[in-house]
Amino acid sequence: MNARLAAAVTLFAGAALAVIAAGAAALVADLAPEERAQLASLATPARIGLAAVFAAALVAVLGVLLWRLFEQTVGPAARLAGGARLIAGANPGHRIAPEGLPELRDAAAGVNALAESHAALQADLDAKIAAARADLENERTRLAALMSELAQAVVVCNREGRILLYNAAAQRLFAGDGAALGLGRSVFGLLDRALVVHAVDELERRLGAGQEQATQFVTAPPAGGLLRVHAAAVIAQDRLDGYVLLLADVTTEIEADARRVALFQGLTETTRAALANIRAAIENLLEYPDMAPERRARFAGIIRDEAVRLSERLDGATAALSEELKVQWPLEDVRGEDLVTLARRRVESRHGLLTKLEDVDAALWVRADSFSLAQGLAYLAGRLKDEFEIREVRFRLQRGERHAHLDLLWRGAPLSSETAFAWENDAFRAGGEDSPLTLKAVVERHGGESWYRRDLPSQSAYFRFVLPLAGTAPRGRVAAATASRPEFYDFDLFRASAAYSALDERPLAELGFTVFDTETTGLQPSAGDEIISLGAVRIVNGRLLTGETFEQLVDPDRPLSPESVAVHGITPDLLDGQPRIVEVLPRFHRFAEETVLVGHNAAFDMRFLQIKEPVIGLRFDQPVLDTLLLSQVLDPQAQSHGLEAIAARLGVDVVGRHTALGDALVTADVFLRMLPLLAQRGIRTLGEARTASQATQYARVAY
Amino acid sequence: MAKRILIADDEPNIVASLEFLMEQAGYEVKAVADGNEALAAVASFRPDLVLLDVMMPGRSGYEVCEKLKGDAATRGVKVVMLSAKGRDVEVAKGIDLGADAYVTKPFSTRELAAKVREMLGE
């Protein structure tokens, strides 16, 4: 600007001098010879000098006037334009300070007035949009709430395998797997790519064939164990738009299955072998009735031995199966009333008995395997009916001292205690029940007791089951009350396109960013300064995901300088026992994988990261954007490009500065506000942003 | 001259019956209780047919069968596999390894005797 002004003034001065000189020359040329001689005699050196001084003074005065005029017009006009752009783009609250010529001051006032009316209009529009969106948001929140309360792990992906949604159960399932689960991340970081791709192909095939759009597979994820994955198609306009994965940890289930199959096969084989031995011996006896007596005795002995062995094996297998079934169903917190209802239904439907309730404490929760208990109660009722012709049973549920008492009552013929004892030890095989479990085993599983009591005068009796009470607050309900939920879902990712290779071509608004900041022991990584704190937050599809943050203090293995403590406030005792940078950086690398890194003065932070690359064996080679440089691009005239100054200009509230995560959050906010401003200048893709950044003078500062 | 039958099974209670059955049918019989002995006995006893249990110590019946059928000198010996493993994949495995018959336990002694007779071309 100054160069332009200087050039203009120089040009003007030159032109003015030239005009004066030309005027003087024309005047002289017009004179007659004697007048010329007269002029020459008048033109003493002193007079010429005086004239030259006047001419120069004239030029200077005019130059100063021009300079003033310029200052009153061009500079204010440029700032007016910049201010107007700022209002239109990032900060509608910005107002332009009037300066320069009255007309320009007037123009500034006009722009401010326009800004006011624009702001009013915008506020109105915002209110309408907000109202219109409220419904949609409600739907989404309801879905998110539903998802987050589901006991089953859910992950929703778009066609390319980017994660659009996950719930708390999924987060727990992959808790040991670092930061692999996150919105916009690839599901292939969690599950075997080949299996997922195969499932998706299968879904597409089924879609084409008009079949049910769901499939399932079992996979061993990197974190260990076995997962059963149900995949269901998300369909939009008759095309596969994405898929919902329901995940269940089936490690114990599959191991138990394998044990049961082995048990069954072992039993089949030993039974076949024993039967073969018995049959061959018997057939020989029948076929050859005249065989020698000692041989006959030998075959008879074989038959007896084999029959005994076979019984022993069957008993062993039954016991093993009963053990297996014991662990089949986990104990769960269940409402006592529900347990009673379950048992009643079973008794009624299986045995056709009448049932009644007697004193059921509705507030009672027990910790129980409701299925095997209901089975046990139905078994008892079945035997009562079959062997004692009981037609009606009653249920009672009461709170004991530290346990719940679940009673099955009936009137009629009393049972002997020997019979009751035998029933407790028999497998559930009476009337319609068919399980190798025994009441004794079921009661043992609950860590409780059961007994039989009769009351002769009233001709009534009951079996009592003592069950553990559930924890005071039933689980799974409390969580619903918590208000703020992390941002687990982002359906806009459905629109994200496939190619991650051509990142430079991609619009900034579509990219995933990791905005990060570090606090360090000093300013010179090459002189041994180290990172002491690393904070980061993710932006996906233009949304700041405050639920997915990275924050870690780092033990720098060297003393902190008092100056740096003054900046970040991290004292040496806070760093004692924190992990070293070699442990922290691989985690951060994973967190930032497949995203563009963003930092304020990122070159500084990147230097600290890159200097550690050889030590950790990983490279931070993703594209990097720097809000400092982007601010240069947007606002070359600005006095300061410090984070706070930029934040103030863009209307970002600054809280928690000088913690790594706090600064990362402010930077992320600033970055988000810059995106529309950059777009106004035609900078829309990552490539364009990087090229523009590199052209600014700050880009040449190297650490 | 009587045909020879080798019985290879580690369960004495079935060997007793099979031995008796085959002797009654007029064969010369030898019994062994593991896979390695079975191979040795094929060389020394030169049976016409082997009743071969699948599950044996030493070598499994599958291995013994595969060895016999893979060797030109013993390929002609008939092999009847006897097994408590009755799944179709196990039967297919035995047949594929060259067994001439696969009999699932328990079996009828009369049918087994008939089958042996038929396989020996009598």
Side-chain angles (χ1 to χ4, degrees):
Chain A
M1 188 53 64
N2 287 351
R4 214 172 117 201
L5 185 53
V9 170
T10 312
L11 196 65
F12 165 76
L17 284 173
V19 167
I20 292 170
L27 201 65
V28 171
D30 190 44
L31 294 178
E34 58 276 27
E35 285 171 322
R36 253 183 236 175
Q38 227 169 6
L39 187 64
S41 71
L42 284 173
T44 64
R47 283 179 180 145
I48 291 172
L50 197 62
V53 166
F54 272 112
L58 181 67
V59 169
V61 167
L62 287 173
V64 167
L65 282 177
L66 185 69
W67 187 289
R68 291 280 306 176
L69 183 67
F70 226 95
E71 270 191 345
Q72 293 288 306
T73 53
V74 177
R79 280 188 286 278
L80 181 59
R85 235 176 251 125
L86 188 61
I87 292 168
N91 186 5
H94 179 77
R95 292 294 175 267
I96 299 161
E99 57 172 332
L101 290 181
E103 289 77 3
L104 283 170
R105 291 168 164 272
D106 202 27
V111 169
N112 284 345
L114 190 61
E116 291 296 340
S117 82
H118 178 255
L121 201 62
Q122 192 63 44
D124 186 38
L125 194 63
D126 285 348
K128 285 197 174 118
I129 291 173
R133 274 194 185 158
D135 277 346
L136 178 62
E137 203 50 42
N138 272 344
E139 292 289 321
R140 285 186 167 194
T141 309
R142 224 171 286 150
L143 177 62
L146 184 69
M147 289 282 194
S148 74
E149 299 313 324
L150 270 185
Q152 189 157 31
V154 181
V155 175
V156 182
C157 303
N158 68 6
R159 179 71 182 78
E160 286 74 40
R162 300 275 144 203
I163 295 168
L164 313 181
L165 177 151
Y166 58 87
N167 65 357
Q171 211 171 29
R172 282 194 295 277
L173 191 61
F174 293 107
D177 203 13
L181 182 69
L183 292 186
R185 291 185 189 287
S186 170
V187 74
F188 304 131
L190 302 172
L191 304 172
D192 186 330
R193 173 187 284 271
L195 284 171
V196 176
V197 168
H198 178 75
V200 172
D201 288 348
E202 177 66 12
L203 288 178
E204 291 211 303
R205 189 191 65 70
R206 283 163 176 264
L207 185 62
Q211 291 166 322
E212 185 198 5
Q213 279 105 30
T215 178
Q216 75 168 38
F217 58 91
V218 172
T219 176
L226 280 173
L227 292 180
R228 174 175 296 132
V229 184
H230 276 272
V234 174
I235 298 158
Q237 282 112 47
D238 291 334
R239 286 184 48 246
L240 185 76
D241 198 31
Y243 43 92
V244 179
L245 302 177
L246 297 173
L247 305 123
D249 187 342
V250 291
T251 316
T252 49
E253 199 180 310
I254 287 193
E255 282 170 356
D257 268 353
R259 280 198 305 273
R260 273 173 231 156
V261 167
L263 192 62
F264 176 74
Q265 274 186 4
L267 184 62
T268 326
E269 282 165 19
T270 52
T271 308
R272 281 173 188 281
L275 285 176
N277 299 352
I278 292 171
R279 183 168 174 182
I282 286 182
E283 286 178 355
N284 281 341
L285 285 173
L286 294 174
E287 195 76 15
Y288 304 97
D290 304 331
M291 72 172 75
E294 57 273 25
R295 206 181 268 281
R296 172 174 297 279
R298 167 100 172 92
F299 282 133
I302 287 175
I303 293 167
R304 192 200 52 233
D305 291 352
E306 288 294 337
V308 170
R309 253 171 72 200
L310 187 57
S311 310
E312 284 168 3
R313 280 174 185 159
L314 283 175
D315 286 348
T318 311
L321 186 59
S322 171
E323 280 300 311
E324 277 297 322
L325 291 181
K326 266 196 203 177
V327 297
Q328 186 174 14
W329 303 103
L331 292 185
E332 279 170 346
D333 289 355
V334 45
R335 224 156 62 99
E337 220 177 358
D338 294 343
L339 178 61
V340 169
T341 307
L342 189 69
R344 279 183 82 186
R345 279 202 206 122
R346 200 170 175 94
V347 169
E348 288 173 1
S349 65
R350 298 238 166 185
H351 307 298
L353 280 159
L354 289 174
T355 64
K356 284 196 175 146
L357 296 185
E358 195 171 285
D359 205 5
V360 169
D361 183 344
L364 212 55
W365 284 71
V366 294
R367 188 145 184 78
D369 163 3
S370 43
F371 179 74
S372 66
L373 262 181
Q375 216 177 13
L377 289 163
Y379 154 79
L380 275 181
R383 288 198 86 159
L384 285 169
K385 180 193 166 202
D386 293 348
E387 295 169 37
F388 292 86
E389 293 175 348
I390 302 297
R391 294 276 158 254
E392 181 189 282
V393 293
R394 291 163 187 253
F395 291 93
R396 182 165 62 195
L397 180 68
Q398 295 166 310
R399 182 185 291 273
E401 268 189 42
R402 266 167 302 169
H403 290 90
H405 294 164
L406 175 60
D407 299 336
L408 180 77
L409 307 94
W410 70 93
R411 278 169 195 279
L415 238 59
S416 71
S417 44
E418 291 77 22
T419 312
F421 183 75
W423 284 12
E424 285 182 342
N425 287 287
D426 284 351
F428 299 164
R429 298 223 190 273
E433 302 297 334
D434 189 18
S435 160
L437 274 177
T438 64
L439 271 186
K440 200 161 174 263
V442 171
V443 169
E444 271 174 12
R445 273 208 61 204
H446 290 83
E449 260 304 337
S450 71
W451 62 81
Y452 162 66
R453 269 200 70 177
R454 58 190 156 159
D455 185 24
L456 286 174
S458 69
Q459 285 250 315
S460 71
Y462 62 83
F463 260 103
R464 167 161 293 179
F465 295 86
V466 178
L467 302 174
L469 291 167
T472 43
R475 272 168 276 174
R477 302 274 164 135
V478 185
T482 55
S484 76
R485 267 187 202 95
E487 291 148 80
F488 280 147
Y489 65 95
D490 186 351
F491 290 111
D492 295 338
L493 286 167
F494 264 119
R495 294 196 285 271
S497 64
Y500 260 63
S501 52
L503 278 184
D504 268 353
E505 306 293 313
R506 296 270 307 275
L508 290 168
E510 277 183 14
L511 289 171
F513 298 95
T514 300
V515 188
F516 77 110
D517 186 56
T518 62
E519 302 295 333
T520 61
T521 57
L523 299 178
Q524 289 176 303
S526 48
D529 276 324
E530 293 278 353
I531 292 175
I532 53 169
S533 172
L534 189 56
V537 62
R538 281 164 33 85
I539 293 176
V540 174
N541 267 7
R543 281 180 50 203
L544 187 59
L545 302 182
T546 49
E548 291 179 22
T549 56
F550 185 99
E551 189 173 25
Q552 182 65 56
L553 290 174
V554 185
D555 183 348
D557 257 344
R558 59 173 278 152
L560 299 176
S561 71
E563 310 89 75
S564 76
V565 173
V567 173
H568 47 63
I570 297 173
T571 50
D573 54 305
L574 286 175
L575 300 178
D576 265 357
Q578 296 293 342
R580 307 280 150 97
I581 194 70
V582 290
E583 300 161 48
V584 174
L585 276 190
R587 275 178 46 216
F588 178 66
H589 189 271
R590 185 116 205 230
F591 182 84
E593 215 166 33
E594 296 191 324
T595 62
V596 176
L597 285 174
V598 178
H600 189 75
N601 194 7
F604 175 75
D605 303 284
M606 285 310 291
R607 190 72 195 100
F608 277 92
L609 297 189
Q610 281 157 352
I611 214 164
K612 294 293 176 196
E613 284 177 349
V615 191
I616 61 167
L618 293 167
R619 294 202 56 211
F620 289 92
D621 51 3
Q622 54 267 76
V624 180
L625 286 178
D626 188 340
T627 46
L628 178 74
L629 301 182
L630 292 174
S631 174
Q632 273 285 299
V633 171
L634 288 173
D635 218 347
Q637 316 238 21
Q639 300 287 321
S640 163
H641 294 287
L643 187 55
E644 273 173 22
I646 301 176
R649 277 205 293 280
L650 295 175
V652 171
D653 290 336
V654 177
V655 281
R657 268 227 67 186
H658 295 305
T659 67
L661 182 59
D663 278 3
L665 280 165
V666 172
T667 309
D669 233 336
V670 160
F671 178 68
L672 279 174
R673 300 239 181 170
M674 283 177 164
L675 291 179
L677 288 177
L678 289 165
Q680 276 181 11
R681 276 153 212 261
I683 298 170
R684 291 170 198 280
T685 66
L686 177 63
E688 287 160 358
R690 295 205 304 151
T691 312
S693 298
Q694 277 156 10
T696 64
Q697 55 177 340
Y698 276 79
R700 288 187 287 274
V701 177
Y703 284 86
Chain B
M1 201 182 86
K3 299 253 169 137
R4 294 175 171 186
I5 308 261
L6 176 67
I7 300 170
D9 199 317
D10 62 327
E11 282 211 49
N13 282 350
I14 195 75
V15 171
S17 293
L18 291 174
E19 229 173 350
F20 176 76
L21 185 68
M22 293 297 132
E23 278 167 7
Q24 292 300 316
Y27 300 115
E28 196 178 330
V29 181
K30 182 179 170 68
V32 293
D34 81 50
N36 290 320
E37 282 179 40
L39 284 176
V42 167
S44 59
F45 179 65
R46 309 208 139 275
D48 299 286
L49 184 145
V50 186
L51 292 175
L52 187 59
D53 183 34
V54 167
M55 286 173 294
M56 278 188 299
R59 277 172 206 274
S60 80
Y62 290 131
E63 274 184 83
V64 172
C65 179
E66 194 268 332
K67 276 239 177 283
L68 292 182
K69 293 296 179 179
D71 184 343
T74 54
R75 190 170 298 155
V77 179
K78 303 281 184 200
V79 173
V80 178
M81 300 201 85
L82 299 178
S83 173
K85 288 180 183 291
R87 292 188 301 153
D88 48 3
V89 285
E90 287 149 349
V91 177
K93 178 175 176 180
I95 299 296
D96 201 50
L97 288 174
D100 299 279
Y102 191 105
V103 176
T104 303
K105 290 180 180 178
F107 48 83
S108 147
T109 48
R110 194 178 292 182
E111 283 170 19
L112 181 69
K115 180 166 276 201
V116 167
R117 225 176 6 257
E118 175 200 319
M119 288 175 73
L120 292 175
E122 291 172 359

